[in-house]
Amino acid sequence: MLDFAALPTVDPMLPRPFRVVRVLRETSDVTTLTFEPADGLATIAFGPAQMGMVGLPGLGEVPISFSSDPADPSQLAMTIRRAGAITSALVDLSAGDSVSMRGPYGTEWPMEAAEGHHLLIVAGGLGLAPLRSAIVTALRRADRYRSISLVYGRREVSEVVFADDLAAWEANPAMSMHLTLDRADPDWSGPIGLVTSRMDAALLDPASTTAMVCGPDVMMHAVGADLTQRGVARGKIWLTMERNMKCGVGLCGHCQFGPLFICKDGPVLNWATAGPFYLIAEV
Amino acid sequence: MKRAILAPTDLDNLIAVLSERGFEVLGPTLDSGVVTLSSIDSTADLPEGIRDEMSPGRYYIKATSDGELFGYAVGPTSLKPTLFPSRRQVWTTENTDQGIIFRSSVPDLRPVAVIGARPCDAAAMAVQDEALLGGPYIDTDYARRRRDLFLVVVNCTRPASTCFCASMGTGPAVSEGFDIALTELKLDTRHFFVAESGSERGQEVLDQLGLDPADPDDEELVRVALEVAADSMERTLDPVDAYSVLRAQPEHPYWETIVERCLTCANCTMVCPTCFCVTTEPVTSLGDESAGEERRWDSCFSLDYSFMGGSPVRETVESRYRQWLTHKLSTWFDQFGTSGCVGCGRCITWCPVGIDLTEEVRHLREQIDA
Ligand SMILES: Cc1cc2nc3c(=O)[nH]c(=O)nc-3n(C[C@H](O)[C@H](O)[C@H](O)COP(=O)(O)OP(=O)(O)OC[C@H]3O[C@@H](n4cnc5c(N)ncnc54)[C@H](O)[C@@H]3O)c2cc1C
Ligand code: SF4
Ligand code: FES
């Protein structure tokens, strides 16, 4: 028998009001917004790779990863790219504007399980957003990892997000950086090629590596297959996935990927769990 | 639990007792040529003598003069629209001096009693309970409606040709999740119901009706009627085999054959008593500048459903049909521990081109084995 008295009564679909306190235009299409709660209650504390449903009343809400340092919830931020109506309106917000917010939802990067390993972080484009929280978390306790490497691939030089962070990470001896551009560009003197072309240099010891990967589906598929072939255990290759999400809490059905709900079983999943479904077209 | 005998006039008393207890009583009624669920005041509102005849893509109503009150199987309306409305307001905003406030839209609801739900409807409700109340997050609107529901199930003595609950283990007799279960028996000389309670309040209500106990002969009549009903079912589905068939070969060329038939109209998902997919829609009110959010039933057959990064993940017809069938019969087990199908056959009846999932599973099994 169901014990109705024991069930929660607060609707998980009810958002809270948050206010934009800072706007950082990363590129013409990407903005990092920093938020504070506008209801006088505590802000959202999240773990690396968790997401929130952020929206504008009357327009709708979308899933976006928190991109700030999880250790400092007072700087709660999201880095958003203009895709369609809702993200465009979010990207164009100014300090003082209000948004609706729910979260945090979903699984986190396995920061602790990865301790004692080489940490290989692979980002494609804006895939760096949900990885930024992993990087800052790892750097704070860099001695717990055998090494920390970032492989970051972009399509255009102008696509660069987190420019200040990238500069700081370049200068940080704990961090080994492998930047690449998909195709040649007069403004770029670094390596050309997909992220997989940097693995020879970035992957130190497959047997003791934990990889954290985020980018477009095709890129994650390629990296998952490549790292597996190079000897990284499927269960140690972690991805964060995107799927259409209307609720974020396992109640709307939209985010299904095979038997998985990306909003609650993911977005962070390992290649052993998610890999088999990547092989099925239109799953 | 002790069984009691309920005469058709006692059924009127049952309706009256439930209304007195504050319930809005819903029951099967004949409306625009289908048996559906609406408010009833007495047994006079029930579709007396009505039969429903169904086959893939077909539904007919036939009138008889035999006076049976529940002599049909299932119309398109399950308990789903009552417990999980097709459209509901989720929240609205209010602009205050302190800024914007979000308020849950919690409607005033009168508790509902349903008389004449089918065993498969009760089974479907249990499936939705798991999906919507299993947590960690729950559908609080469903929880309220569900908590307040008083459920009188009427067992099936006349399954339709599209029913396959016996093979799914969900009917034609209800086993749990009800307050009162009735079996209607219409003999040459007697018309009565054998009643059984499934909850404390169900027993309380039966006690209030002051019924005579059923004698062993009547109980035997019920047993036989339900056994005959189970044996008469033409269709079967083996839920455990379906689980593995659909898991086995998602890219089998068989799926492409569905393209020639499936219209992606989403009818199957709308009449399915367990489908719970929804989407959200913003609403704005020009008058007071408030905004809100509505939730409405969605379907994995729509292109918007899987829209991501400029295009749908599931663009082809076969990928959308495969998603529906695989979720219903296979991944549902992985997610919630049971099949997502209860064997009510509604998707077979209401599919405009008569696609029959029991046949699809059989064909797929044959192709894989070949
Ligand atoms: C777990 C997760 C984390 C994400 N993190 C970020 C992030 O950090 N930064 C960022 O810029 N974007 C992120 N996205 C993608 C972002 O949600 C989409 O860009 C956004 O939904 C597009 O909405 P739109 O209305 O502006 O675009 P449109 O293209 O008009 O989309 C219409 C609708 O389709 C759906 N949709 C479209 N694209 C996506 C998508 N990629 N993922 C999910 N739903 C989609 C949404 O419901 C959207 O409202 C994330 C998505 C997920 C699932
Ligand atoms: S599927 Fe079973 S329980 Fe449902 S209407 Fe048919 S016979 Fe009755
Ligand atoms: S986003 Fe609604 S179920 Fe996952």
Side-chain angles (χ1 to χ4, degrees):
Chain A
M1 269 304 259
L2 278 164
D3 181 3
F4 289 101
L7 293 176
T9 54
V10 177
D11 188 346
M13 295 298 285
L14 183 69
R16 292 174 54 195
F18 273 67
R19 197 179 301 112
V20 176
V21 288
R22 203 163 46 256
V23 175
L24 176 65
R25 309 244 173 254
E26 306 268 358
T27 72
S28 57
D29 278 341
V30 180
T31 298
T32 295
L33 301 173
T34 304
F35 303 100
E36 68 178 19
D39 56 6
L41 303 173
T43 190
I44 291 174
F46 67 95
Q50 282 195 299
M51 42 134 180
M53 294 294 290
V54 61
L56 293 163
L59 199 60
E61 53 180 6
V62 287
I64 303 285
S65 321
F66 293 112
S67 62
S68 48
D69 182 352
D72 185 4
S74 75
Q75 299 300 309
L76 186 75
M78 288 173 161
T79 303
I80 306 171
R81 182 183 42 220
R82 192 187 300 279
I86 302 170
T87 47
S88 295
L90 289 167
V91 161
D92 292 336
L93 290 180
S94 313
D97 288 342
S98 16
V99 297
S100 67
M101 181 83 82
R102 302 187 284 123
Y105 300 132
T107 50
E108 305 177 19
W109 295 119
M111 301 310 300
E112 280 170 25
E115 288 178 4
H117 275 200
H118 294 285
L119 190 57
L120 174 64
I121 293 173
V122 188
L126 196 59
L128 192 55
L131 282 163
R132 183 179 180 271
S133 54
I135 298 171
V136 295
T137 304
L139 283 177
R140 189 170 297 115
R141 41 195 186 203
D143 54 321
R144 300 195 201 168
Y145 302 94
R146 289 176 59 184
S147 70
I148 305 173
S149 307
L150 170 66
V151 180
Y152 174 39
R154 280 170 289 158
R155 239 170 297 168
E156 318 271 348
V157 182
S158 61
E159 217 185 291
V160 67
V161 290
F162 308 129
D164 292 351
D165 292 309
L166 285 168
W169 297 337
E170 286 279 7
N172 190 329
M175 194 73 187
S176 132
M177 302 282 284
H178 305 269
L179 274 47
T180 171
L181 204 66
D182 286 3
R183 49 174 182 253
D185 186 301
D187 292 336
W188 177 252
S189 57
I192 308 288
L194 303 177
V195 282
T196 41
S197 71
R198 305 311 304 150
M199 292 309 171
D200 279 341
L203 181 63
L204 300 175
D205 177 7
S208 64
T209 291
T210 294
M212 298 181 184
V213 189
C214 184
D217 272 352
V218 277
M219 173 258 187
M220 293 203 284
H221 187 178
V223 173
D226 181 64
L227 290 178
T228 307
Q229 205 176 10
R230 290 171 186 266
V232 181
R234 287 184 168 81
K236 299 232 159 63
I237 304 169
W238 296 86
L239 324 167
T240 179
M241 290 189 56
E242 285 186 10
R243 276 301 176 266
N244 188 303
M245 291 187 179
K246 289 296 170 194
C247 73
V249 293
L251 294 173
C252 78
H254 282 247
C255 67
Q256 287 176 85
F257 180 65
L260 305 165
F261 286 98
I262 296 303
C263 68
K264 62 175 187 187
D265 302 315
V268 174
L269 293 162
N270 67 40
W271 189 244
T273 306
F277 302 104
Y278 260 98
L279 304 178
I280 308 170
E282 300 186 278
V283 73
Chain B
M1 206 136 305
K2 259 205 356 271
R3 296 175 189 213
I5 293 289
L6 203 125
T9 47
D10 294 322
L11 199 54
D12 275 312
N13 291 342
L14 174 63
I15 296 170
V17 164
L18 290 171
S19 329
E20 274 163 31
R21 286 177 170 243
F23 292 101
E24 177 187 2
V25 183
L26 305 186
T29 56
L30 191 60
D31 187 6
S32 317
V34 295
V35 175
T36 181
L37 204 59
S38 35
S39 252
I40 54 168
D41 296 321
S42 74
T43 49
D45 295 330
L46 297 174
E48 185 181 319
I50 292 297
R51 298 275 186 283
D52 49 3
E53 281 177 8
M54 292 176 245
S55 58
R58 300 266 183 281
Y59 177 95
Y60 295 108
I61 284 295
K62 210 173 74 184
T64 72
S65 55
D66 69 7
E68 276 185 39
L69 295 172
F70 300 91
Y72 33 82
V74 285
T77 319
S78 65
L79 290 171
K80 187 167 84 170
T82 301
L83 295 173
F84 189 69
S86 58
R87 190 176 270 280
R88 80 170 177 93
Q89 180 97 28
V90 183
W91 49 260
T92 50
T93 60
E94 195 181 312
N95 294 307
T96 70
D97 293 345
Q98 282 78 43
I100 190 166
I101 292 178
F102 296 88
R103 285 198 198 290
S104 255
S105 306
V106 184
D108 274 334
L109 294 173
R110 188 167 162 207
V112 168
V114 174
I115 296 186
R118 291 308 193 185
C120 56
D121 292 327
M125 185 176 78
V127 171
Q128 283 216 321
D129 283 353
E130 190 55 38
L132 301 175
L133 303 179
Y137 296 97
I138 70 155
D139 180 337
T140 49
D141 181 72
Y142 178 85
R144 282 179 70 210
R145 296 171 192 264
R146 179 65 183 80
R147 179 195 63 198
D148 294 345
L149 177 74
F150 190 99
L151 192 60
V152 181
V153 173
V154 180
N155 289 327
C156 291
T157 54
R158 296 184 187 277
S161 88
T162 41
C163 293
F164 55 101
C165 60
S167 59
M168 299 301 286
T170 55
V174 71
S175 55
E176 57 189 357
F178 59 92
D179 292 294
I180 295 175
L182 303 175
T183 307
E184 180 175 29
L185 289 172
K186 180 85 174 57
L187 312 177
D188 289 344
T189 48
R190 278 169 77 204
H191 181 196
F192 64 103
F193 296 83
V194 174
E196 171 189 4
S197 68
S199 69
E200 259 172 52
R201 34 171 219 177
Q203 187 60 48
E204 256 174 54
V205 168
L206 285 182
D207 289 345
Q208 209 176 332
L209 297 177
L211 306 171
D212 291 333
D215 65 43
D217 288 351
D218 293 333
E219 297 207 29
E220 180 60 10
L221 285 173
V222 165
R223 200 190 58 74
V224 171
L226 294 174
E227 198 175 288
V228 169
D231 290 346
S232 74
M233 277 184 221
E234 295 166 23
R235 286 184 164 71
T236 60
L237 185 75
D238 174 349
V240 177
D241 188 54
Y243 171 76
S244 41
V245 170
L246 288 160
R247 216 180 147 84
Q249 291 197 26
E251 295 192 289
H252 194 283
Y254 179 74
W255 289 110
E256 284 163 30
T257 67
I258 206 77
V259 182
E260 292 144 32
R261 292 169 288 148
C262 178
L263 310 172
T264 66
C265 69
N267 268 16
C268 50
T269 55
M270 296 296 111
V271 293
C272 179
T274 67
C275 275
F276 63 90
C277 285
V278 289
T279 189
T280 54
E281 275 172 4
V283 284
T284 45
S285 128
L286 290 175
D288 55 1
E289 292 186 352
S290 72
E293 183 176 88
E294 270 189 6
R295 185 192 80 178
R296 62 166 179 81
W297 290 357
D298 201 359
S299 170
C300 52
F301 281 94
S302 88
L303 283 167
D304 275 353
Y305 182 85
S306 66
F307 190 86
M308 184 178 89
S311 61
V313 170
R314 294 183 207 102
E315 192 135 27
T316 61
V317 172
E318 64 266 31
S319 72
R320 283 177 273 153
Y321 186 79
R322 183 187 64 189
Q323 168 62 26
W324 183 66
L325 201 63
T326 306
H327 186 215
K328 191 91 340 192
L329 299 180
S330 190
T331 49
W332 207 292
F333 275 101
D334 300 316
Q335 296 168 349
F336 305 114
T338 65
S339 178
C341 174
V342 293
C344 72
R346 287 184 177 93
C347 58
I348 305 173
T349 302
W350 297 97
C351 171
V353 293
I355 298 174
D356 172 351
L357 80 172
T358 66
E359 285 298 311
E360 297 307 318
V361 171
R362 207 175 331 281
H363 288 154
L364 195 55
R365 164 53 83 205
E366 283 163 11
Q367 299 256 332
I368 289 175
D369 289 347

